[in-house]
Amino acid sequence: MAYIAAPEWQKHHAALITLAQIAEGCSKVTIKNLEQVVHMVLNSFQDPHPRVRWAAINAIGQLSTDLGPDLQVQYHQRVLPALASAMDDFQNPRVQVENYARDVNAMEGLTQVSQEAPQDGPVTKLLCFEKLQY
């Protein structure tokens, strides 16, 4: 928490990378604190530094893989719009590329959600990207 609140971008970056690693190895503990973890990661999508945004996207992808389908089912209303918005970070291609790579992780297990989603929303944008990959 102290690293997320620190003014240095390097500490934000380190905290996000650490959260992703903890989720990978300790999913049972992380799932108990999922609301807090998702909140921290999604707030970092708006960080002014592109490396922090990259780390946030990386973390949400890792969380989606290790904590799915719980993360997707409980937080898709917050995660998918954040990912869709990150696709528009044209000033930072590395952030965009990481986002594209992690979109697939976030989309796994969302067939029912995507069928219920509005046709002009972030789910549609993400699904269009996923189809382009294949």
Side-chain angles (χ1 to χ4, degrees):
M1 291 300 291
Y3 269 49
I4 288 288
E8 301 89 2
W9 71 264
Q10 295 92 335
K11 289 186 178 180
H12 294 203
H13 182 270
L16 292 164
I17 297 297
T18 302
L19 280 173
Q21 292 301 309
I22 290 170
E24 186 174 11
C26 305
S27 59
K28 290 179 183 178
V29 172
T30 307
I31 202 90
K32 293 177 184 176
N33 300 298
L34 193 53
E35 171 65 32
Q36 183 180 14
V37 170
V38 168
H39 180 73
M40 285 189 294
V41 172
L42 291 181
N43 281 345
S44 298
F45 271 61
Q46 302 302 318
D47 195 275
H49 201 283
R51 290 187 184 187
V52 174
R53 293 193 306 274
W54 178 93
I57 293 165
N58 178 284
I60 212 70
Q62 191 66 52
L63 292 169
S64 296
T65 298
D66 297 327
L67 304 177
D70 293 321
L71 181 124
Q72 289 93 337
V73 171
Q74 293 177 32
Y75 298 102
H76 68 273
Q77 305 92 337
R78 292 167 53 193
V79 170
L80 295 179
L83 287 169
S85 177
M87 286 181 167
D88 298 330
D89 193 352
F90 298 109
Q91 300 298 325
N92 299 285
R94 287 184 182 181
V95 173
Q96 276 188 309
V97 168
E98 182 64 21
N99 187 58
Y100 293 142
R102 293 307 188 153
D103 287 342
V104 174
N105 300 109
M107 294 301 295
E108 290 177 346
L110 281 182
T111 29
Q112 183 177 357
V113 173
S114 64
Q115 291 170 356
E116 299 168 2
Q119 295 302 312
D120 60 345
V123 173
T124 301
K125 189 175 186 178
L126 293 169
L127 285 172
C128 288
F129 167 74
E130 187 175 359
K131 288 177 186 175
L132 288 175
Q133 285 189 321
Y134 303 104

